[in-house]
Amino acid sequence: MSRTFYITTPIYYPNAEPHIGHCYTTIAADAIARYHRLAGDDTFFLTGTDEHGIKMVKTAEAAGMSPAELADRVVSVFQQVWKELDITHDDFIRTTSDRHKQAVGRIVQRLLANGDIYLGSYQGWYDEGQEEFVTETEARTNEFKSPINGRPLVRYSEPTYFFRLSKYVPRILEHLEKNPDFVQPASRRNEVLSKLRAGVEDLSISRATLKWGIQMPNDPQHVLYVWIDALSNYVTALGLGSDDQARFDKYWPVNVHLIGKEILWFHSVYWPAMLLSLGVALPQRIFAHGWWTAEGRKMSKTAGNFIDMQKIRDLCALHGVDALRYYLLRAAPFGADLDWTDADFAKSFAELANVLGNCLNRTLKMVGRYRGGQLPAAGELQDIDRTLLARMDALAGHLAGAYERLELQQCALLPLELARAANGYIDSTAPFSLAKDPAQASRLDTVLNLSAQAIYRTMVGLLPILPHKAAEGLRQLGVDPSGQALQHLMTASLAPGHRLGEGQPLFPRQV
Ligand code: MSP
């Protein structure tokens, strides 16, 4: 029976074009979704855009257009980029779509009916970049500037509806304490716990001064403040609050909300509080990954170290999308902060070429030269063969564990380490010398067979990370992976007599 697997990315603000940060989260989610699909899980992968709020209004104004025009324009850029990067999302939710707006209206009705929303007045410091009020203490600590982007906080005072966040804090605390995997990584979970223990105020959820948003169903003078609107996307996309909730019933609770670390608080506190009020099950896991800097500094256009789409497109045109995916996912343990350097990118590409490409190429060449492209059966095994076989057999289990724990760096490195081991095996067994001695024919058969099995397993293991290159590698090995389950591919071996294809460099060096 197939399990379901639901994974989401944040919905991105379309007030500026995507950059490496958005690509990182989305590629990470894509690799995880691809793994689960291959593993036979009924998988649903959601991404989208968060289109309301002050920031959109301001950016649109400065560009001389309406927020809706700005949203349409930038959303189509996001969609185009996901196509270029071969992202396999199953749905793309826009917060300006009717399905979302209607469902949010019904969700807010339910919060109102529960008595969890009341009218009050708010006076406070507002971080326009983050679209949130910050407490007096936080404002003072950060010298009345946004801790995220350094811009001055703005003083706001207005009537606003509040959500009774504080009412749910004890239950959220208890949930966090009892479920160590609910918020990951652990260091970030601890930050959330201490902030929660320090006390939390009710949440201002509406603006009377803003038109660009979803109207409060009970009071058309107010539009919803973005976080309630935005967070709801994870369930409105599944049909909660609509007439067809089949998807919701099937996929909720979500397996993984993948987000960047700066929005962990909203996801691990506001969102569970809303769900508790709605009587809906809590997410299984919220995983906050780290932030990219570039060449050792915060990315900035003026500093010239901004990794924008132009740069990403150029790299993909030269080295292929898979080289980008590999670099991003192997750069640091998933969850840690990361630093882009051109030198590291080049190193990671060289690793693909020298370890993976080389292992495939030399194996195909040897089988071609010594056995006419037909895989010989293995003969009697020696210790060195058994060691390599044991590594091959262990890969599927290790990968499953790494994907389960979201150790994406390991998901990229584990198969590569098998190819490295296969290269070492070829070096040690020296098939080119064996080929010179007819008495060693059976030994050569064994070495050729095992080398081919190892690179085959490596390619299968890399399918979620390098969807193109791994599939191409498999084709060169005479295997068509399409439509096949990982379980089958991982446990299958290339049969004796199997015809291998032509070797072509998988990662041609660019000059
Ligand atoms: N709209 C909100 C999210 C609402 S989710 C219900 C938002 N949008 S955003 O456009 O600012 O995107 C933030 C996300 O982009 C981060 O959580 C992260 O996934 C990604 N990144 C943006 N810059 C990043 C880096 N420099 N490094 C890594 N990822 C970062 O917040």
Side-chain angles (χ1 to χ4, degrees):
M1 209 184 61
S2 85
R3 297 180 307 171
T4 59
F5 185 81
Y6 177 31
I7 183 164
T8 65
T9 72
I11 47 170
Y12 304 113
Y13 293 127
N15 68 324
E17 294 198 355
H19 58 66
I20 194 66
H22 308 105
C23 294
Y24 180 59
T25 317
T26 311
I27 286 175
D30 184 67
I32 299 166
R34 282 177 188 265
Y35 175 82
H36 281 274
R37 274 188 213 112
L38 272 168
D41 295 340
D42 181 339
T43 301
F44 196 77
F45 168 19
L46 178 70
T47 190
T49 40
D50 182 3
E51 306 181 21
H52 294 126
I54 295 171
K55 216 157 37 177
M56 283 298 287
V57 174
K58 293 207 160 158
T59 313
E61 223 169 62
M65 54 177 94
S66 71
E69 282 165 345
L70 175 69
D72 283 350
R73 203 172 76 173
V74 182
V75 167
S76 70
V77 177
F78 270 92
Q79 289 173 329
Q80 175 60 30
V81 167
W82 299 156
K83 206 183 277 173
E84 287 169 37
L85 296 181
D86 251 308
I87 302 301
T88 57
H89 49 288
D90 297 288
D91 198 358
F92 188 102
I93 181 96
R94 297 186 57 172
T95 54
T96 51
S97 61
D98 284 341
R99 64 167 169 155
H100 177 76
K101 289 196 284 191
Q102 276 159 18
V104 166
R106 292 194 200 165
I107 286 171
V108 175
Q109 293 277 20
R110 277 165 69 176
L111 302 177
L112 279 161
N114 288 345
D116 281 339
I117 291 178
Y118 61 91
L119 185 64
S121 134
Y122 199 93
Q123 247 238 7
W125 294 104
Y126 190 72
D127 180 338
E128 287 185 331
Q130 285 288 92
E131 306 202 338
E132 62 163 342
F133 278 107
V134 299
T135 62
E136 190 66 35
T137 334
E138 274 179 297
R140 190 165 320 200
T141 315
N142 294 307
E143 293 169 351
F144 303 95
K145 288 191 188 124
S146 164
I148 307 292
N149 60 28
R151 283 199 292 259
L153 300 173
V154 175
R155 193 79 187 154
Y156 269 141
S157 165
E158 61 180 43
T160 169
Y161 286 93
F162 283 89
F163 171 65
R164 292 189 198 282
L165 184 63
S166 53
K167 168 174 159 190
Y168 292 100
V169 167
R171 284 170 70 187
I172 296 169
L173 255 174
E174 194 189 335
H175 190 80
L176 270 157
E177 278 158 357
K178 283 199 178 140
N179 299 276
D181 291 345
F182 178 52
V183 169
Q184 291 179 322
S187 54
R188 304 230 156 90
R189 168 176 175 264
N190 291 336
E191 287 168 19
V192 172
L193 276 169
S194 359
K195 197 168 162 188
L196 264 172
R197 288 186 188 120
V200 176
E201 291 162 14
D202 284 346
L203 178 67
S204 155
I205 62 158
S206 77
R207 292 282 171 279
T209 42
L210 187 68
K211 294 276 163 292
W212 180 241
I214 301 177
Q215 279 180 352
M216 288 290 291
N218 59 325
D219 184 347
Q221 293 303 311
H222 285 246
V223 300
L224 258 189
Y225 159 74
V226 286
W227 280 102
I228 298 272
D229 171 358
L231 288 162
S232 301
N233 91 87
Y234 300 130
V235 291
T236 62
L238 298 185
L240 181 76
S242 81
D243 297 332
D244 179 7
Q245 296 203 172
R247 264 183 178 182
F248 177 79
D249 294 338
K250 185 171 178 188
Y251 292 109
W252 196 262
V254 67
N255 296 73
V256 182
H257 283 315
L258 205 60
I259 54 170
K261 63 179 182 179
E262 84 292 358
I263 54 175
L264 181 58
W265 177 249
F266 312 118
H267 281 77
S268 49
V269 178
Y270 298 2
W271 183 222
M274 280 175 67
L275 292 170
L276 286 170
S277 172
L278 293 170
V280 165
L282 298 188
Q284 288 180 16
R285 181 148 40 153
I286 301 164
F287 191 100
H289 65 65
W291 261 45
W292 281 93
T293 51
E295 309 289 350
R297 282 164 303 140
K298 191 172 154 39
M299 283 195 290
S300 108
K301 290 195 174 146
T302 41
N305 67 339
F306 197 80
I307 314 292
D308 61 8
M309 282 320 298
Q310 189 54 51
K311 170 144 183 156
I312 294 169
R313 285 195 172 107
D314 290 348
L315 278 171
C316 291
L318 201 60
H319 300 294
V321 171
D322 286 3
L324 173 76
R325 294 171 67 103
Y326 184 73
Y327 171 64
L328 294 180
L329 298 180
R330 91 166 305 292
F334 198 51
D337 285 330
L338 319 95
D339 185 46
W340 176 292
T341 73
D342 290 344
D344 283 346
F345 185 92
K347 251 191 250 164
S348 115
F349 185 75
E351 180 173 59
L352 286 175
N354 297 339
V355 179
L356 190 63
N358 187 30
C359 182
L360 175 70
N361 209 258
R362 64 203 292 214
T363 303
L364 289 171
K365 284 234 166 73
M366 292 188 304
V367 178
R369 185 173 314 144
Y370 306 137
R371 296 294 181 260
Q374 230 177 0
L375 192 71
E380 211 176 298
L381 297 182
Q382 301 184 356
D383 280 351
I384 189 168
D385 309 324
R386 285 189 205 96
T387 306
L388 186 65
L389 274 170
R391 289 193 75 140
M392 288 184 222
D393 289 342
L395 180 62
H398 287 163
L399 265 186
Y403 275 102
E404 169 54 32
R405 294 186 297 274
L406 301 182
E407 292 169 357
L408 292 186
Q409 186 188 44
Q410 284 306 307
C411 297
L413 287 178
L414 285 168
L416 217 89
E417 289 313 313
L418 177 58
R420 205 188 294 280
N423 277 331
Y425 170 83
I426 296 171
D427 295 343
S428 308
T429 53
F432 26 90
S433 312
L434 296 173
K436 291 182 194 140
D437 179 359
Q440 298 282 1
S442 164
R443 181 72 201 129
L444 179 60
D445 283 351
T446 305
V447 168
L448 295 178
N449 184 293
L450 261 61
S451 309
Q453 308 293 0
I455 189 65
Y456 161 73
R457 292 279 176 91
T458 299
M459 292 295 173
V460 171
L462 281 170
L463 278 168
I465 309 278
L466 307 177
H468 296 282
K469 297 295 184 180
E472 191 193 323
L474 286 169
R475 272 192 297 278
Q476 292 188 18
L477 287 164
V479 175
D480 176 8
S482 51
Q484 298 204 47
L486 195 68
Q487 182 64 17
H488 168 73
L489 289 165
M490 272 291 192
T491 47
S493 302
L494 303 173
H498 174 85
R499 192 149 268 295
L500 305 185
E502 277 286 298
Q504 300 289 337
L506 207 51
F507 299 97
R509 254 161 268 255
Q510 304 296 339
V511 275

